[in-house]
Amino acid sequence: TYADSSATAGTTYYYRVKASNSGGTSAFSAYDAGSLAVVAGPASVSASDGAYSDRVSLSWEASAGATAYEVWRGSSNAYSLASKAATCQTASYDDTSAQPGALYWYWVRSVAAAGTSAFSASDSGYRAISVPGNVAATVGNTDGVTVSWSAVEGAASYEIGRGAGDASAPETTLGVSTGLSY
C-alpha cells in the first residue's frame, strides 16, 4: 500500500502500479481512480423511531471543516433513490414533512467550500401517528351509544374499543370506522 499525502482534496487522480525486482520492472497495472475527501462525512446519524407525532428528529456528529449539511430522505434504503430534504447549518434536523406512520431512510452529507463529502451510513426513522382527541360518547340514548372524535393527520381509519368499568379494564375491539364517529 501507499498513502498519497500530496493529493489535493476534491481532485480525482488515476493510479497505477509497476512491480520491480532485481530482474526488471513490469508494465503498469490497470488504472483505478481515487480522491481525497473535501470534508469528512458525518458519523453516527440517528433518526427517531416514533418518539414524536409532529416530526422525525435527526442528529449526527459534526464534521470538522463542514459549513453546512445536506439531509437526504428516501422511502427505501438506497440513497440513489433518495432526494434532498434540507440543507442546515447545525448537526441536527427535524423532518416535519414526514407522513405519520411512514418509514423513511436518512443520509447526511457534509458541505464545505471545496465540495461535499460522501453520504453517511443510513438510519431509518418514522413519525408517530397521533392519538385521536376530543373523544365523546353519548349518554342515555335507547338506540345505542354514538362515539365521535377529532381527525388525526394521516389516519386512514380508526379502531374503536370498549372496556367495562374503569379505564384499566380489558378492552374489546368493537369495529373500525373510516369516518369520525361510530
Side-chain angles (χ1 to χ4, degrees), residues 22-173:
S22 60
T25 302
S26 72
F28 273 113
S29 66
Y31 286 94
D32 193 24
S35 62
L36 182 63
V38 294
V39 63
S44 303
V45 172
S46 177
S48 61
D49 294 323
Y52 309 99
S53 62
D54 62 341
R55 68 189 179 277
V56 177
S57 184
L58 291 100
S59 62
W60 55 89
E61 290 180 22
S63 299
T67 57
Y69 300 94
E70 291 180 356
V71 177
W72 289 66
R73 180 180 84 181
S75 57
S76 68
N77 195 6
Y79 70 82
S80 61
L81 301 176
S83 59
K84 187 165 62 169
T87 300
C88 52
Q89 273 57 55
T90 62
S92 64
Y93 172 71
D94 287 335
D95 184 3
T96 57
S97 68
Q99 292 299 309
L103 184 63
Y104 297 97
W105 279 262
Y106 295 91
W107 297 264
V108 181
R109 295 195 309 185
S110 300
V111 178
T116 59
S117 72
F119 283 105
S120 68
S122 67
D123 191 37
S124 62
Y126 63 94
R127 179 177 159 185
I129 298 174
S130 297
V131 174
N134 301 318
V135 175
T138 59
V139 176
N141 291 353
T142 58
D143 60 343
V145 176
T146 300
V147 181
S148 62
W149 53 89
S150 58
V152 170
E153 179 187 359
S157 64
Y158 301 89
E159 184 177 306
I160 297 81
R162 177 181 69 195
D166 64 20
S168 65
E171 192 170 284
T172 301
T173 300

